[in-house]
């Protein structure tokens, strides 16, 4: 990790995530690494003095803050599949495709080719505060009741397709609810919380207590394709 704008961007993203999650830097650092000074040490790096940070601690910090730990080409250089990056005349907005398909909060929903029905403009700053890169953002609607009361039928979910790894939750930190993911299983699109219990054992969990947990291992686990993590949802008032 060098100095200058890249580090400033990282610290800005950390600060935005701390504010969003109402966490102090010390609390987030302790949850990630057992060391309340992790973020403080990142801020206090001096150009004339080398300080090494354990990669695993930084990965765990990203997980605590619901951020993506990523190395690779700048995301904005990756072309969007279905639309120009900017709506005409609105450079501060990004067009996010809404797929004409449902992700089922239940047994599953067969969606075929998932065509794009339209695009919805989101402020880039809003997506950045969520930790979502515009080119990785996709929208779909929810069907079924197994994620009630969190997700209701008809809700629109924003899926970050760059977040497909289900990680073991941190060592010794306060137990948090597993993240919500959209995934495909036997051609059916679903949305559930997924907890990685062991290397080859996932728990697929519903928020509705009427739906029992499902445990995936072996061939069943291999058939799961993670579309991405749900980062936001919107709901119409009725």
């Amino acid at each position: 990790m060098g100095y200058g704008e890249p580090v400033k961007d990282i610290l800005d993203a950390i600060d935005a995530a701390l504010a969003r999650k109402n966490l102090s830097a010390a609390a987030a650092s302790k949850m990630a690494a057992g060391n309340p000074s992790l973020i403080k040490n990142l801020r206090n790096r001096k150009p004339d003095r080398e300080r090494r940070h354990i990669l695993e601690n930084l990965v765990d910090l990203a997980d605590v803050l619901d951020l993506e730990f990523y190395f690779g080409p700048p995301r904005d250089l990756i072309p969007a599949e279905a639309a120009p990056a900017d709506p005409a005349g609105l450079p501060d907005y990004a067009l996010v495709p809404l797929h004409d398909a449902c992700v089922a909060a239940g047994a599953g929903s067969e969606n075929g080719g998932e065509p794009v029905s339209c695009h919805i403009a989101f402020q880039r700053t809003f997506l950045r505060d969520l930790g979502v890169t515009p080119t990785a953002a996709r929208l779909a609607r929810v069907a079924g009741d197994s994620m009630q009361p969190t997700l209701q039928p008809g809700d629109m979910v924003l899926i970050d397709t760059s977040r497909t790894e289900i990680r073991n939750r941190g060592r010794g930190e306060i137990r948090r609810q597993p993240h919500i993911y959209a995934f495909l299983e036997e051609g059916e699109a679903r949305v559930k919380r997924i907890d990685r219990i062991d290397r080859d054992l996932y728990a697929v969990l519903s928020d509705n207590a009427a739906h029992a947990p499902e445990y995936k291992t072996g061939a069943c686990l291999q058939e799961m394709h993670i579309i991405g993590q749900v980062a936001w949802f919107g709901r119409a008032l009725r």
Side-chain angles (χ1 to χ4, degrees):
M1 186 182 295
Y3 295 95
E5 287 303 315
V7 172
K8 181 180 183 303
D9 288 346
I10 291 170
L11 292 175
D12 286 347
I14 288 173
D15 286 339
L18 289 172
R20 185 172 65 250
K21 296 179 73 65
N22 196 26
L23 280 173
S24 69
S29 298
K30 191 171 180 67
M31 290 169 67
N35 174 9
S37 298
L38 176 62
I39 295 174
K40 178 181 176 182
N41 291 339
L42 284 172
R43 296 189 201 284
N44 294 337
R45 290 171 59 92
K46 299 184 184 300
D48 59 348
R49 194 169 122 200
E50 182 179 3
R51 183 192 295 273
R52 297 186 180 276
H53 295 278
I54 299 174
L55 182 64
E56 186 175 322
N57 288 346
L58 300 179
V59 172
D60 287 343
L61 178 62
D63 188 52
V64 166
L65 296 178
D66 290 338
L67 297 173
E68 180 190 7
F69 191 86
Y70 171 76
F71 282 98
R75 295 289 196 178
D76 286 342
L77 297 181
I78 301 173
E81 293 176 2
D86 299 313
L90 296 173
D92 294 333
Y93 288 78
L95 289 174
V96 178
L98 172 61
H99 288 271
D100 188 16
C102 289
V103 285
S109 178
E110 190 168 356
N111 288 306
E114 298 186 2
V116 173
S117 61
C118 67
H119 294 81
I120 297 177
F122 281 78
Q123 280 189 314
R124 289 180 176 276
T125 54
F126 176 77
L127 294 175
R128 184 170 65 244
D129 287 345
L130 290 176
V132 179
T133 302
T135 52
R138 299 292 184 272
L139 293 163
R141 293 198 181 276
V142 173
D145 67 354
S146 75
M147 288 302 293
Q148 290 178 333
T150 307
L151 297 176
Q152 302 285 348
D155 284 356
M156 181 186 298
V157 289
L158 177 68
I159 302 166
D160 183 352
T161 61
S162 70
R163 298 185 186 181
T164 59
E165 181 183 5
I166 313 298
R167 299 183 58 252
N168 284 350
R169 288 183 289 157
R171 307 171 304 280
E173 81 239 27
I174 298 170
R175 294 290 286 177
R176 297 173 290 124
Q177 281 191 307
H179 295 305
I180 299 174
Y181 291 88
F183 62 98
L184 288 172
E185 187 175 36
E186 296 182 349
E188 298 179 334
R190 309 180 69 189
V191 60
K192 297 275 192 177
R193 296 191 190 275
I194 303 180
D195 194 9
R196 183 174 177 177
I197 298 174
D198 203 347
R199 179 177 178 180
D200 298 315
L201 177 62
Y202 288 1
V204 176
L205 307 170
S206 302
D207 283 5
N208 185 339
H211 293 258
E214 304 171 31
Y215 296 95
K216 306 292 184 181
T217 188
C220 292
L221 188 60
Q222 296 301 317
E223 291 172 358
M224 289 180 64
H225 169 70
I226 306 298
I227 299 170
Q229 182 181 321
V230 174
W232 172 89
F233 72 88
R235 176 175 302 157
L237 296 177
R238 296 180 174 84

